[in-house]
């Protein structure tokens, strides 16, 4: 059978989509089916409710467009698709709650309360009022408290969107740092290529008046950009090894921003630059008792040491990354730690 597939089928049958797009698409399909069911079961919504339903469908349409939006570097960097999809899905979710009939409304209370506890914290007054009402009403949401539930859900959704935006900002900071450090490491190599006596020679030592460089030694050896490249490469490899070991402390994430991967990438140029600067420090006599290295192997060994040493800095960034990720809460997360929104009010 040819022709365009129904909207719900399009939402759930998408191919070649990233995980966040799949999650958005399934949420869109679920909300669309709920809107259609409410409209059908009610035998026609009143004019006021019909306006809410029409606006909800517009929100779902905007979310669909965001899910299918092009995936260029600019869109990935700005996060425009994510920031467009989830807020529109949340608005449609709030509309479904507003339109839910009384016989279905009673079970919305636990859902809204759970989301409020995840994103708003125990000190939020809306969450507290909703929790008190549910406790006194056999955990059922009364129609007189529907507006409170909608406003609580709206606040929780806004916090969830803000949490996601913070992750994107942190990811962008990491990628900008990776680019900056990689550029500096590349500039050092290019400088060594253009003017070996200025940069590459600084990677060499002179034990017993014999020139010893990372890539070669001897009175006839001429320093080159290969010496800089070799030092940076060894430092980068050492940093990668240290980063692989530190993976045990990095948690995964359901956000679309791949922060753990960015944290790993940061180590590579950081290790290269650490090795380069570390050899310069030894050459300059900055480290007491260590002024001359006897062989190219020793130089590379120290380059590896400095490449690993960058872990003391990047580990602090890992900790900040974990804190950012821990504040992004979903239905699969527990309530062991209070959300940032709740902590900020204390």
């Amino acid at each position: 059978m040819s022709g365009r597939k129904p909207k719900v089928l399009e939402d759930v049958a998408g191919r070649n989509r990233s995980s966040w797009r799949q999650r958005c698409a399934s949420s869109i399909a679920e909300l669309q089916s709920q809107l259609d069911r409410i409209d059908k079961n009610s035998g026609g919504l009143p004019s006021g409710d019909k306006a809410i339903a029409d606006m909800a469908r517009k929100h779902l349409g905007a979310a669909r467009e965001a899910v299918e939006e092009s995936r260029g570097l600019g869109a990935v960097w700005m996060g425009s698709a994510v920031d467009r999809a989830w807020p529109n899905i949340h608005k449609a979710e709030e509309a479904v709650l507003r339109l839910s009939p009384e016989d279905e409304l009673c079970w919305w209370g636990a859902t809204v309360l759970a989301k409020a506890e995840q994103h708003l914290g125990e000190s939020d007054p809306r969450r507290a009022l909703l929790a008190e009402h549910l406790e006194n009403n056999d955990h059922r949401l009364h129609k007189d408290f529907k507006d409170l539930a909608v406003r609580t859900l709206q606040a929780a959704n806004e916090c969830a969107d803000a949490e996601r935006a913070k992750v994107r900002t942190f990811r962008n900071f990491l990628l900008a740092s990776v680019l900056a450090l990689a550029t500096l490491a590349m500039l050092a190599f290019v400088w060594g290529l253009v003017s070996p006596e200025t940069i590459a020679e600084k990677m060499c030592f002179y034990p017993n008046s014999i020139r010893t460089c990372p890539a070669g030694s001897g009175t006839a050896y001429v320093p080159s950009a290969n010496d800089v490249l070799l030092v940076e490469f060894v430092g980068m490899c050492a940093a990668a090894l240290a980063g692989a070991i530190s993976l045990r402390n990095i948690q995964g994430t359901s956000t679309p921003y791949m922060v753990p991967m960015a944290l790993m990438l940061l180590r590579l140029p950081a290790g290269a630059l650490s090795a380069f600067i570390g050899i310069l420090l030894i050459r300059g006599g900055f480290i007491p008792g260590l002024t001359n290295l006897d062989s190219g192997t020793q130089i590379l060994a120290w380059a590896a040491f400095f490449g690993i040493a960058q872990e003391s800095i990047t580990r602090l960034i890992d900790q900040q990354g974990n804190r950012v990720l821990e504040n992004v809460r979903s239905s699969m997360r527990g309530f062991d730690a209070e959300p940032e929104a709740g902590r900020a009010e204390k």
Side-chain angles (χ1 to χ4, degrees):
M1 183 177 64
S2 60
R4 185 174 177 82
K5 293 182 290 186
K7 285 188 174 63
V8 173
L9 183 57
E10 286 182 338
D11 293 333
V12 299
R15 296 181 179 178
N16 300 322
R17 287 174 173 170
S18 57
S19 59
W20 78 264
R21 293 178 190 270
Q22 294 283 11
R23 289 194 297 272
C24 284
S26 62
S27 296
I28 292 170
E30 171 65 19
L31 291 171
Q32 182 69 60
S33 64
Q34 290 189 37
L35 279 173
D36 294 342
R37 179 182 55 80
I38 291 173
D39 192 9
K40 182 178 180 180
N41 291 346
S42 64
L45 294 171
S47 58
D49 289 348
K50 187 176 185 303
I52 295 176
D54 290 342
M55 183 56 66
R57 290 188 175 91
K58 290 181 180 179
H59 282 301
L60 291 178
R64 284 192 186 92
E65 292 178 2
V67 169
E68 300 299 335
E69 190 174 288
S70 62
R71 306 168 193 181
L73 289 178
V76 172
W77 180 266
M78 297 300 296
S80 56
V82 179
D83 286 348
R84 187 181 178 195
W86 280 115
N88 278 290
I89 290 174
H90 290 156
K91 290 301 179 184
E93 180 186 25
E94 294 157 18
V96 169
L97 173 55
R98 288 185 184 276
L99 297 173
S100 294
E102 187 174 351
D103 58 336
E104 298 178 6
L105 181 66
C106 59
W107 304 116
W108 268 91
T111 300
V112 176
L113 181 61
K115 201 165 190 177
E117 289 182 349
Q118 287 169 337
H119 297 288
L120 299 179
E122 294 184 358
S123 60
D124 186 84
R126 291 157 297 195
R127 188 217 65 83
L129 285 174
L130 182 61
E132 182 181 0
H133 162 66
L134 294 176
E135 185 176 354
N136 296 332
N137 198 43
D138 196 25
H139 301 286
R140 295 169 180 263
L141 180 64
H142 192 270
K143 63 179 181 179
D144 293 341
F145 287 81
K146 178 190 285 189
D147 187 64
L148 173 63
V150 170
R151 293 180 184 276
T152 303
L153 179 61
Q154 182 180 28
N157 285 337
E158 289 174 354
C159 282
D161 294 334
E163 292 165 6
R164 197 175 294 109
K166 288 179 181 179
V167 175
R168 185 188 71 251
T169 301
F170 184 74
R171 189 280 313 266
N172 289 351
F173 169 78
L174 288 176
L175 293 182
S177 300
V178 170
L179 181 60
L181 293 178
T183 301
L184 290 175
M186 182 61 69
L187 285 176
F189 169 72
V190 173
W191 197 350
L193 193 65
V194 174
S195 180
E197 67 279 1
T198 304
I199 292 295
E201 194 275 334
K202 301 300 187 294
M203 299 290 101
C204 300
F205 295 83
Y206 295 86
N208 301 320
S209 300
I210 299 176
R211 176 180 286 162
T212 301
C213 302
S217 61
T219 55
Y221 180 79
V222 178
S224 67
N226 288 335
D227 295 297
V228 178
L229 181 62
L230 188 54
V231 166
E232 291 186 342
F233 178 75
V234 170
M236 185 170 60
C237 290
L241 178 61
I245 296 174
S246 70
L247 283 176
R248 69 185 190 280
N249 298 321
I250 297 179
Q251 66 182 37
T253 174
S254 60
T255 67
Y257 300 117
M258 297 184 293
V259 170
M261 183 179 296
L263 288 169
M264 278 298 300
L265 287 177
L266 180 64
R267 286 170 162 81
L268 301 183
L273 276 181
S274 295
F276 176 77
I277 295 174
I279 298 302
L280 283 180
L281 292 176
I282 295 177
R283 173 67 188 274
F286 185 80
I287 302 177
L290 189 62
T291 56
N292 262 333
L293 300 181
D294 297 331
S295 66
T297 305
Q298 281 191 356
I299 297 174
L300 295 179
W302 277 102
F305 170 80
F306 286 114
I308 295 174
Q310 56 76 38
E311 189 70 18
S312 61
I313 297 175
T314 52
R315 186 181 293 118
L316 298 177
I317 303 176
D318 285 347
Q319 294 172 359
Q320 178 61 26
N322 283 332
R323 283 193 290 269
V324 172
L325 292 177
E326 285 171 358
N327 197 48
V328 180
R329 307 179 70 85
S330 67
S331 59
M332 294 181 292
R333 295 288 302 277
F335 304 96
D336 51 326
E338 187 175 5
E340 189 175 278
R343 294 195 301 267
E345 296 176 1
K346 293 184 178 181

